[in-house]
Amino acid sequence: DVQMTQSPSYLAASPGESVSISCKASKSISNNLAWYQEKPGKANKLLIHSGSTLQSGTPSRFSGSGSGTDFTLTIRSLEFEDFAVYYCQQYNEYPLTFGSGTKLEIK
Amino acid sequence: QIQLVQSGPELKKPGESVKISCKASGYTFTDYAMHWVKQAPGKGLKWMGWINTYTGKPTYADDFKGRFVFSLEASASTANLQISNLKNEDTATYFCARRYILFDYWGQGVMVTVSS
């Protein structure tokens, strides 16, 4: 199975700041990586796929980069609505696997 | 609009069974597979497997073989997850998510609590 190591598990930042979240795969997954946002009371939201392609409706302050084993989600100029939990997920092979999540909180 | 609406929370005793549903609307049900994902309290997401909504064939992740059954009521655009012989470690929120290549729509999740 492809293990997805996500870091940090917790991140505190202020609105207007920029943050980055790392996701490392235990073997190459090409660019078959997605990022999801989890917020209480809302359905999980697909933000980015193919490592760096923004899903329709994702604000441009979100960006993704990387390929192979190392990936990064960056959020520029944080807005209040961005404080949530973020997961990476590989879809290169079965079983599909997720990172352990990053909780982004307001400082 | 596309929606996956799941059934309500469940409180069960160890050894009992539970069946939770996921009703799809806003798209052709058989065009997308339906996947199931488990989230234990305070934990991350764990993929459980999927069901081919066209053929009805289920595929289970290794940790979910035996007590877990995926099924369909295709005429009602509904996917179901049944868990038998419930254990304390089954306490979790269970999500359905449609997938072609990506999980682009998710249900809101169903909290299943197993407690004596």
Side-chain angles (χ1 to χ4, degrees):
Chain A
D1 299 3
V2 181
Q3 307 301 320
M4 305 301 293
T5 302
Q6 191 174 336
S7 62
S9 55
Y10 172 84
L11 193 51
S14 300
E17 292 184 343
S18 296
V19 296
S20 291
I21 299 169
S22 170
C23 184
K24 294 183 186 295
S26 60
K27 64 180 184 180
S28 177
I29 57 170
S30 186
N31 66 340
N32 296 315
L33 183 105
W35 291 95
Y36 298 88
Q37 180 189 64
E38 175 189 273
K39 297 178 82 170
K42 290 192 158 187
N44 291 344
K45 182 181 179 184
L46 171 64
L47 297 174
I48 288 171
H49 65 88
S50 305
S52 60
T53 302
L54 265 60
Q55 177 71 353
S56 175
T58 300
S60 59
R61 61 182 180 275
F62 288 86
S63 64
S65 63
S67 66
T69 59
D70 289 358
F71 299 85
T72 302
L73 171 68
T74 299
I75 314 171
R76 294 180 292 103
S77 300
L78 281 165
E79 299 195 5
F80 282 107
E81 65 193 38
D82 300 334
F83 293 93
V85 180
Y86 293 88
Y87 291 94
C88 60
Q89 179 241 329
Q90 68 81 20
Y91 53 94
N92 191 62
E93 63 181 63
Y94 285 111
L96 306 177
T97 47
F98 293 86
S100 54
T102 296
K103 186 173 186 179
L104 176 58
E105 289 196 340
I106 301 176
K107 188 187 291 183
Chain B
Q1 74 280 24
I2 296 167
Q3 284 189 301
L4 299 177
V5 179
Q6 297 186 241
S7 48
E10 300 273 3
L11 175 59
K12 295 290 184 181
K13 291 181 167 49
E16 293 184 338
S17 296
V18 68
K19 187 175 185 178
I20 61 181
S21 66
C22 171
K23 182 169 176 59
S25 61
Y27 71 98
T28 301
F29 184 66
T30 52
D31 282 352
Y32 291 79
M34 194 67 77
H35 290 241
W36 292 92
V37 176
K38 176 183 178 180
Q39 186 173 38
K43 302 293 186 182
L45 302 169
K46 187 175 178 78
W47 178 73
M48 300 174 67
W50 63 288
I51 186 164
N52 184 317
T53 53
Y54 188 76
T55 65
K57 180 187 175 190
T59 300
Y60 302 96
D62 285 347
D63 287 349
F64 299 96
K65 291 178 179 176
R67 298 186 297 113
F68 299 82
V69 176
F70 306 146
S71 63
L72 300 175
E73 296 169 48
S75 61
S77 298
T78 298
N80 300 306
L81 164 64
Q82 183 162 351
I83 311 171
S84 59
N85 189 22
L86 282 161
K87 304 179 187 305
N88 289 333
E89 55 262 39
D90 296 325
T91 293
T93 298
Y94 293 87
F95 296 94
C96 60
R98 82 167 196 177
R99 179 175 187 257
Y100 188 77
I101 296 173
L102 304 159
F103 295 128
D104 61 348
Y105 285 91
W106 295 64
Q108 81 278 17
V110 175
M111 180 68 200
V112 175
T113 303
V114 183
S115 174
S116 54

